[in-house]
Amino acid sequence: MRPLRLTAGAVCAAVLLTACSSGGGGNTIGGQARNAGGGGSDRTVEQLSVAQRGKPLAVSGTELTGAPWSSTASAKGKVVVLNVWGSWCGPCQTEFGDLQKAWTQLKASGKPVVLMGLDYKEGTDTALATTRERGMTYPSLQYGDGQTIAALGGNFGGSAPTTLVLDSQHRVAARVTGPVDSTTLVGLVDDTLSGK
């Protein structure tokens, strides 16, 4: 069985497919994609069933502020959202506000979720200045020698932005290639939390 892939041109078909497989609830990925705005045709959304998920990812590194972080220690048992971004990346610029909005909503809900940015191909000072300028309250890991990105393995195709939603065992449950909007991201997280 192949993962469900959604592009802007296939949203209607995906909504119908999702409705058939999950009862058509508005909180499914199909429902979120139908209601999402601003994604554009350069966005692909994949949602993996539990049976399709691979081995858990172990991501660690140093936050832009200098604090160490590890998914296995700092986010044990939680859903983890990893967003690969760079200040030099135009599509990343379009999603910063949506990521912050999603994080504010998820944090206020008290759900066991962590959002971690992964800075890509730039220096720490530049990345830190961008997070401050954009009002990003969720942390990001330094690019450093690239080992943080390398830990994503084949789950990252080499283009930013890319967003991964890991389940509580830290297996990839969903992937968005291209800019993600807050509605879609919260929907993917909620689906993952509910075991979809």
Side-chain angles (χ1 to χ4, degrees):
M1 191 158 112
R2 302 180 72 189
L4 173 64
R5 293 178 182 267
L6 301 176
T7 61
V11 168
C12 292
V15 169
L16 292 174
L17 177 61
T18 304
C20 292
S21 63
S22 64
N27 227 15
T28 64
I29 184 58
Q32 297 303 322
R34 178 184 58 215
N35 296 320
S41 59
D42 58 347
R43 179 179 70 176
T44 302
V45 179
E46 294 177 82
Q47 191 171 29
L48 305 174
S49 70
V50 174
Q52 294 172 308
R53 297 173 192 172
K55 294 181 180 180
L57 299 183
V59 178
S60 62
T62 304
E63 294 182 21
L64 296 177
T65 57
W69 186 85
S70 164
S71 60
T72 56
S74 305
K76 187 174 181 179
K78 296 181 179 181
V79 167
V80 178
V81 177
L82 300 173
N83 174 259
V84 180
W85 66 278
S87 64
W88 47 266
C89 160
C92 299
Q93 300 287 333
T94 68
E95 74 173 0
F96 287 148
D98 278 290
L99 286 164
Q100 181 59 45
K101 181 178 178 181
W103 174 235
T104 300
Q105 184 177 340
L106 291 166
K107 190 174 179 183
S109 74
K111 295 173 182 174
V113 180
V114 173
L115 172 57
M116 179 61 71
L118 303 179
D119 187 40
Y120 186 48
K121 291 188 175 180
E122 69 185 343
T124 302
D125 291 343
T126 300
L128 188 57
T130 299
T131 63
R132 290 176 175 161
E133 177 184 313
R134 291 298 193 135
M136 297 157 67
T137 63
Y138 56 90
S140 286
L141 296 179
Q142 300 174 17
Y143 180 66
D145 59 5
Q147 289 302 307
T148 299
I149 299 294
L152 304 180
N155 297 294
F156 175 59
S159 65
T162 295
T163 303
L164 303 176
V165 179
L166 311 184
D167 64 17
S168 61
Q169 295 179 42
H170 298 169
R171 301 170 301 177
V172 176
R175 175 178 26 246
V176 180
T177 304
V180 68
D181 61 82
S182 61
T183 305
T184 299
L185 182 54
V186 170
L188 289 169
V189 169
D190 284 344
D191 280 0
T192 303
L193 285 167
S194 67
K196 296 180 183 176

